[in-house]
Amino acid sequence: MYIKRAIEDSVVKVSKTFPVLLMSGPRQVGKTTLLKHLSDKTRNYVTLDDPDVRNTARNDPALFMHRYTPPILIDEIQYAPQILPYIKMSVDNSGNMGDFWLTGSQAFHMMKNVSESLAGRVGIINLLGLSTNEINSQPSEPFTTSPERLMSRVKNVRKLDLHTLYERIFLGAFPALHRENPPELSEFYRSYINTYLQRDIKDLTQVADETAFYSFMTIVAARTARPVIYEEIAKDAGISAPTAKKWISILVSSGLIALVQPYHNNVLKRAVKMPLMHFLDTGLCAYLLKWGNPEILERGAMSGAFFESWVFSEIYKSYLNAGREVPVYYYRDKEKREIDILIYENGTLYPIEIKKSASPGKDAVKHFKVLNPVTVPTLLGELEQYKVEIGNGAVVCMANDLLPADINNWFVPAWMI
């Protein structure tokens, strides 16, 4: 059974705007299924996973283009970048929008070739695993702390209790795990990791030691929802700091983790500069760390970190699925005061705290006040150009209902994201 994806409208829009559409994202998140679902009967399909087809595309791209004509969906384009110049010639000659739909699982290898060969001709869409809204067949929209939006949304979404939520966190977001007859969980993730290491990491990067990279992935998984300190990760993994930084960038480009940049404003002089890291699929993260079941995970030492990464990934997907840039930052200063998420739009900051608690209390918003200086930069000798407004804030938590924390902030149940 096909699960309707929130990003479908963005796909249609991009295909009408650009001659080439590229959908990138991790393996097994449903890129091909989605594009096949949206294709009409005239669109051809070919996958470069087929070794014979891949060999033709690499060694005789002109013949490949003669054999596979547009409109066409080409799967796993990263395996034959040799055809990209020929796609460019084809779209320049035809002038048709949406002639080529491409998918690729490895952005770090693919984007450089695409940007060089198809500059100005390609619209890029990023797809991740299923969001809770997609799983529950609920309306999806970019998350905001607008009271009007929150009040409207609370009437239209399904509640999740703590047990159900951690089942969702433990299971993860890959579509195959949410179909009627899903594969066995550990077998699915074992196969996923093996394919990722053997096909993507070994074939498409300069990482020679698969075992070392797997060990590195588990070390990174253990640091989800924490600031990135490359030297510490390198020491634990037995590699150099530059190698750790390079391997982190591979995981980011693979769509497996996100690095959240710290919010920077000259007024906030004590803010730290290191990024925050989140694993984007909590099920994969739980598998790497050998958590046995949702109950043990919920009671375990990393329960809060998994909850925070799940909330972040849901907010992150809500923007990607709307075809928008993700305007998300975080705040941490040298006094260790933190704000888990800052949404920055139109000159306004919207602070968000994440608490795995049914009753977080008003102390949950106490660090929001560290942002106050940005509203009056001239009082601190800074220029008016650094002025930023502070909008409504939120504490995403396990509350049973949407409730005001104070006049400016709300307790928002996690199932409302």
Side-chain angles (χ1 to χ4, degrees), residues 206-227:
Q206 286 72 49
V207 177
D209 191 337
E210 297 172 35
T211 303
F213 195 85
Y214 176 80
S215 176
F216 174 79
M217 288 177 67
T218 64
I219 289 167
V220 170
R223 287 168 167 76
T224 192
R226 287 171 53 184

Side-chain angles (χ1 to χ4, degrees), residues 28 36 78 151 154-155 163 211-212 242 261 276 284 309 386:
Q28 299 291 317
K36 280 187 171 181
Q78 74 272 9
M151 292 295 291
V154 73
K155 305 171 186 177
H163 176 73
T211 303
Q261 296 304 317
L276 186 73
L284 178 58
S309 287
Y386 295 122

Side-chain angles (χ1 to χ4, degrees), residues 49-62:
D49 260 337
D50 184 314
D52 291 331
V53 174
R54 182 166 66 246
N55 184 63
T56 301
R58 286 175 172 175
N59 298 317
D60 196 343

Side-chain angles (χ1 to χ4, degrees), residues 81-210:
Q82 294 86 349
I83 65 175
L84 292 174
Y86 292 83
I87 291 176
K88 174 181 178 293
M89 288 188 287
S90 176
V91 299
D92 285 350
N93 287 333
S94 74
N96 297 330
M97 298 297 109
D99 258 1
F100 290 87
W101 288 3
L102 315 176
T103 76
S105 302
Q106 295 303 317
F108 57 85
H109 179 83
M110 182 173 53
M111 291 303 184
K112 181 174 182 292
N113 293 313
V114 169
S115 61
E116 290 176 353
S117 302
L118 299 174
R121 301 167 180 84
V122 60
I124 299 173
I125 289 178
N126 298 307
L127 183 69
L128 294 179
L130 295 170
S131 67
T132 293
N133 290 321
E134 291 171 322
I135 295 169
N136 292 342
S137 300
Q138 297 171 169
S140 177
E141 58 188 358
F143 178 81
T144 71
T145 59
S146 159
E148 293 77 18
R149 173 195 177 274
L150 295 174
M151 292 295 291
S152 171
R153 188 164 176 78
V154 73
K155 305 171 186 177
N156 298 311
V157 293
R158 188 186 310 171
K159 290 186 177 183
L160 296 175
D161 59 27
L162 184 66
H163 176 73
T164 305
L165 179 62
Y166 270 84
E167 285 185 336
R168 185 72 51 80
I169 288 172
F170 182 78
L171 182 62
F174 290 100
L177 299 172
H178 294 271
R179 64 193 186 200
E180 291 184 8
N181 297 300
E184 197 275 324
L185 190 63
S186 61
E187 184 59 36
F188 172 84
Y189 280 120
R190 185 183 302 114
S191 175
Y192 186 92
I193 291 293
N194 286 339
T195 302
Y196 177 67
L197 292 174
Q198 294 170 10
R199 293 289 300 277
D200 299 333
I201 296 303
K202 187 175 181 179
D203 291 354
L204 298 178
T205 74
Q206 286 72 49
V207 177
D209 191 337
E210 297 172 35

Side-chain angles (χ1 to χ4, degrees), residues 10-41:
S10 296
V11 172
V12 173
K13 181 179 178 181
V14 168
S15 186
K16 290 179 179 179
T17 307
F18 293 92
V20 182
L21 178 149
L22 169 64
M23 178 169 284
S24 69
R27 286 187 171 276
Q28 299 291 317
V29 294
K31 300 184 296 295
T32 305
T33 301
L34 167 60
L35 292 181
K36 280 187 171 181
H37 177 77
L38 295 179
S39 296
D40 60 33
K41 294 180 179 179

